[in-house]
Every structure is written in C-alpha cells, then in structure tokens.
Amino acid sequence: MTQNKTKIIGLTGGIGTGKSTVSKIIQEKGFPVIDADLIAREVVNIGEPAYIETVKSFGETILRDDGSIDRKKLGSIVFNDTNLRHRLNSILHPQINKKMKEETFKYSLLYRVVFLDIPLLIEELENLNSSGLLFDEIWLVYADETTQLKRIIERDKTDLADAIRRINAQKSIEEKLKYADVVIYNTGSIKELIDNVNKALEEV
C-alpha cells in the first residue's frame, strides 16, 4: 500500500473513550474511514462464508426468525467463554481482515490518507499485521478509566459492576498508550475534542 504513498492510520480506543465520535469528526473533514464494526456485520450477512461457518459451529439457536444471526445472543454465548470466543474469532477475523484489506487498497488509490476504525486494534495487532494490514501510525482516543466508567453507565443505563466487567474485557487504556503514535485526549468538552482532532489532522 505504501507504493501509492498513502498513509494508513489505525484509529482505536477503549470502550467509553469516544472513538466513534472521533471517527465521525474525521469523516466530516473529508477523510475516508473504514469501519471494522460495519464490516463485521457485513461478513455475517445471510449466505456469506462467515455466516455459514458460524451457524454450522454455533447452531441455529443463534438465528432470528428471518434467518439472520442475532449478534446479541451470539455475543452473550461467547462473552464469558474464552474457547468459544476464540472459535468465533477464528471464523470472523480472517473474513473481516480480508475485506478491510480490500477496502484499504481501494481507498489508497484515491486518497493520500486512509483511516481504519478498529475497536480492538491493539489486541489484534499481530493478527492484523500477519494478514497484511500494516499501519503507518496508530491513533488512540484516550479517556481515563473513571471517565470511561461514567460514560458507559450513562450511555448504556447499566451499573458499575457491569461497566467494570466490560472495561476489563479489553486491554487497559493505559496499556494501549504504549502503542500509540498519536493520542487524542477526550476528557473535556466536545469543542476540546474537535480541537484535538483538528490538531492531529493538521499534522497529517
């Protein structure tokens, strides 16, 4: 991808840090953003290879009446079981990475900078690299854990114990800082966040 002199930037964060908001701001500034969550939904559309393999592996109880996969039900099955989660990831990740690679190449022909919005980028960095997805920079959206907890509780109308459990399911935000080339701090107002994003984009 570097032959087109396109800068590939991985955008990530932790739950409740405001990564989705940053992704939106970047898109509004005219930069292409490839959304891994969106691709993750597309690869399990009815009839897709990952759909067929997931149903074969987890059974038809994960299906809705229309035959589509109930992502919430599937998520609850794998959330507390490491083996099942690995099994699901081994089905989905190769398909997601393949699609992201295709999208990245397509956009790299048209743009000088391409962003990939990947929630678990740092956790999956090795797998992403080995699939051919290489990043020139990693941008991390940062909020301290107290802010994360507050936002999760307010946004999802959940309790403290559930919010802590969800944060602990990911690598800690402090640990992720070690991997970041650019840190976008999001502990203040939306105006401050926009200013921080604009500053980072100017550097690009």
Side-chain angles (χ1 to χ4, degrees):
M1 279 164 255
T2 49
Q3 72 269 23
N4 301 305
K5 294 182 180 169
T6 299
K7 184 176 269 197
I8 308 301
I9 299 176
L11 176 68
T12 194
I15 185 169
T17 58
K19 179 187 60 60
S20 299
T21 305
V22 170
S23 183
K24 238 175 263 176
I25 296 165
I26 290 169
Q27 285 179 78
E28 283 165 6
K29 289 286 172 183
F31 293 89
V33 178
I34 297 162
D35 186 335
D37 275 348
L38 197 59
I39 288 174
R41 284 195 283 273
E42 288 172 2
V43 300
V44 290
N45 281 341
I46 295 171
E48 293 289 335
Y51 170 91
I52 295 162
E53 196 57 41
T54 303
V55 175
K56 200 199 299 185
S57 194
F58 290 89
E60 293 189 3
T61 55
I62 62 165
L63 298 180
R64 295 194 186 93
D65 292 342
D66 63 0
S68 63
I69 290 173
D70 186 328
R71 283 162 56 87
K72 203 171 179 184
K73 190 183 279 184
L74 181 58
S76 68
I77 291 168
V78 303
F79 191 85
N80 293 312
D81 190 315
T82 309
N83 291 332
L84 290 179
R85 198 157 65 244
H86 283 324
R87 193 202 302 173
L88 180 63
N89 289 343
S90 71
I91 295 167
L92 300 184
H93 287 181
Q95 298 294 331
I96 294 167
N97 294 349
K98 180 171 173 268
K99 188 99 189 277
M100 282 197 297
K101 200 176 164 189
E102 288 167 0
E103 295 277 297
T104 302
F105 179 73
K106 187 177 77 180
Y107 280 118
S108 73
L109 300 173
L110 303 168
Y111 295 91
R112 295 293 298 275
V113 181
V114 178
F115 286 86
L116 280 83
D117 176 346
I118 307 174
L120 298 178
L121 187 153
I122 289 161
E123 288 87 342
E124 293 296 325
L125 191 56
E126 208 176 299
N127 290 334
L128 290 163
N129 289 168
S130 64
S131 74
L133 278 164
L134 304 171
F135 304 95
D136 295 299
E137 291 180 1
I138 291 175
W139 287 21
L140 177 74
V141 184
Y142 176 89
D144 58 86
E145 198 171 292
T146 306
T147 305
Q148 282 182 280
L149 287 168
K150 186 170 176 283
R151 285 178 182 157
I152 296 164
I153 291 164
E154 283 175 5
R155 184 190 68 191
D156 300 336
K157 307 286 182 279
T158 189
D159 59 23
L160 181 62
D162 181 57
I164 290 170
R165 185 170 60 88
R166 287 160 70 181
I167 284 179
N168 289 343
Q170 299 180 352
K171 200 183 278 286
S172 82
I173 196 71
E174 303 303 328
E175 182 67 23
K176 288 184 179 189
L177 272 175
K178 298 172 190 173
Y179 295 82
D181 298 293
V182 173
V183 181
I184 295 170
Y185 291 92
N186 183 22
T187 49
S189 67
I190 186 71
K191 186 189 179 303
E192 286 171 311
L193 177 62
I194 291 168
D195 287 345
N196 291 342
V197 176
N198 285 340
K199 211 169 288 177
L201 289 172
E202 278 165 21
E203 294 295 319
V204 171

